[in-house]
Amino acid sequence: MSDDQHNAAPLRLFNSLTRSTEPFTPIEQDHVRVYSCGPTVYNYAHIGNLRAYVFTDTLRRTLLWKGLAVTHIINITDVGHLTSDADAGDDKMEAAARASAKSIWDIAAHYTQAFKQNIADLNILPPSEWTVATDYVPQMIAFAEKIAPTHCYELESGLYFDSSTVPDYGALAGGRDDAAHARIDPVVGKRNASDFAIWRKSPPGEQRQMEWDSPWGKGAPGWHLECSVMSQARLGQPFDIHTGGIDHREIHHPNEIAQNQAFHACCRPDVGAGEAGFTGARWWMHNNFLVDRQGKMSKSKGGFTTLFTLIDAGVHPLAYRLLCLGAHYRSELEFSADNLAAALTRLKRLVMAVEGLKARAEGVTWQSPRLDYLRANLHPKLVPLLEQFDAAISDDLMTPRAVPLLEEAAAMKKVPVDEKLCLIAAFDQALGLNLLTLTRSDLRIAPKDARITPEEIEVELERRTAARAEKNFALSDDIRDALAARGVEVMDGDPLRWDWRLTLG
């Protein structure tokens, strides 16, 4: 146990396997191995997709807060994911390439870069390693060869996993859900509705842009196979935590678990891997949906909101991160313009408070100290906030309780400024809002269709301030009206002292 963990609240995390919150202890002392299902790079990630990565980043930051080292893998799915998450339909990547008349490799490269930009904009720590599905196809074929004799059968369309060959299939989802699997497109010859593709053969007479030779014919791996292979290759099995959206809990992750059970029953009988208790990861964690007023966000509905959409509208991406932190990751989170605006206002207040503290601290650079140092050296009025914050995030990442403690620390009176900044820096290491470097000017993002630049606005506001000082209120009003005509609202008397904001239109 590291020094930072002494006198700390015990870390408890919700495990989807048991549907309970349990004390967390890593398999290896002081080291946690985490795998997160990454994006299928056929389109931009919508903000509902991105909630999963804010959650995973909060988990990782909390593990670091608790003094643990973290190896974190996020995969890039560039082949094998079908147009239905329930293992049905066409390959999403092939379909996107046909629709755009572009190379599937170009499609993958473009949307991979876009996703990584989203990750950076949200101040999400980059993973220890990105794994790309197409880099692991030989290992996927080898994995499938190991389990095929005992757990798979071949049909005209490909190699299928027999879900009845592993114990307690679907336990993660609460048991085998035949009704859910009955909604999957039927495949002639499947033994069970819940059986799924390990390898999909290319249809006769059709050449895919991405296909490989295999013992079952030319084709491509199944989506579920990819995550089992990449997680095992980079983290070993069992590893500590597997994360994903709650939609993965019903089919994708149970299928991963079935493959993991099968592989280890075939290849690692010495560790009892064929038993029902083996799943590949000790903890399976899932974030809930982001919902809009019309229901769950989905690319299949046609229109969807991306982080780029929010930025184009003049919203700083960290306002969306703060919106996510305002709800517990296992709760549904409603997205609306009003909720986002409230999060942006909350972020502005925090930025202004920290800027004020930094100005009083005369330009000293503040870094987050170790928690044991904080506990020993903090002002007595701040220690309870530190302990409450630790208790909140240690309680299954309870960020709705943690964020107000950050605000309370910033507002506390009669406390040395340097100690307040140290505590805020420590809190922000866990919350990831970048408060020690974010500025008011950073938060002023011009909407894509703005008709004036922030620099031009500041020049006009200086003219207006001079006019008001000279009691030339007619000129002051003219400048205000001219700015309004160009999409700038001058906010006289704004309690946040934000002075102006750009509006759309």
Side-chain angles (χ1 to χ4, degrees), residues 15-46:
N15 192 344
S16 294
L17 279 170
T18 61
R19 296 295 200 273
S20 64
T21 303
E22 305 167 355
F24 175 78
T25 302
I27 297 170
E28 300 175 13
Q29 185 174 4
D30 296 337
H31 179 218
V32 184
R33 291 169 290 154
V34 182
Y35 182 87
S36 299
C37 281
T40 303
V41 285
Y42 73 105
N43 206 332
Y44 296 108
H46 62 59

Side-chain angles (χ1 to χ4, degrees), residues 163-336:
S163 58
S164 68
T165 64
V166 293
D168 294 341
Y169 173 80
L172 181 67
R176 184 186 299 270
D177 188 347
D178 290 333
H181 288 95
R183 295 193 297 269
I184 300 174
D185 290 348
V187 175
V188 176
K190 276 179 60 170
R191 297 174 183 174
N192 309 288
S194 53
D195 293 353
F196 55 92
I198 293 287
W199 186 267
R200 288 186 173 272
K201 299 178 186 178
S202 298
E206 178 181 319
Q207 182 176 359
R208 295 176 175 172
Q209 290 193 45
M210 287 184 174
E211 60 180 13
W212 295 262
D213 290 321
S214 81
W216 314 282
K218 194 177 292 291
W223 175 41
H224 315 297
L225 176 64
E226 297 174 4
C227 285
S228 284
V229 169
M230 288 186 285
S231 62
Q232 178 175 272
R234 307 318 303 164
L235 298 174
Q237 285 191 351
F239 57 92
D240 294 284
I241 304 173
H242 195 311
T243 74
I246 198 171
D247 50 327
H248 291 162
R249 192 184 64 187
E250 309 309 312
I251 294 178
H252 178 46
H253 286 170
N255 289 353
E256 277 191 62
I257 288 172
Q259 294 165 160
N260 297 341
Q261 287 177 299
F263 185 85
H264 283 261
C266 294
C267 305
R268 297 281 303 280
D270 57 308
V271 297
E275 298 175 1
F278 182 87
T279 64
R282 294 282 180 87
W283 252 260
W284 293 76
M285 299 181 67
H286 300 89
N287 65 282
N288 212 326
F289 293 122
L290 182 75
V291 296
D292 58 23
R293 297 187 188 279
Q294 287 72 48
K296 181 175 76 73
M297 291 197 171
S298 173
K299 294 175 189 176
S300 64
K301 294 181 179 179
F304 57 92
T305 302
T306 70
L307 195 66
F308 298 116
T309 308
L310 301 185
I311 295 171
D312 286 348
V315 177
H316 196 282
L318 290 180
Y320 177 66
R321 182 181 182 110
L322 183 55
L323 176 66
C324 292
L325 295 176
H328 190 251
Y329 76 91
R330 288 192 289 114
S331 300
E332 285 193 348
L333 172 60
E334 181 177 348
F335 176 80
S336 69

Side-chain angles (χ1 to χ4, degrees), residues 456-472:
E456 291 173 318
I457 296 169
E458 294 293 349
V459 168
E460 291 303 299
L461 287 181
E462 288 180 10
R463 288 183 57 225
R464 185 168 183 263
T465 298
R468 289 165 67 86
E470 296 169 2
K471 300 189 183 302
N472 189 346

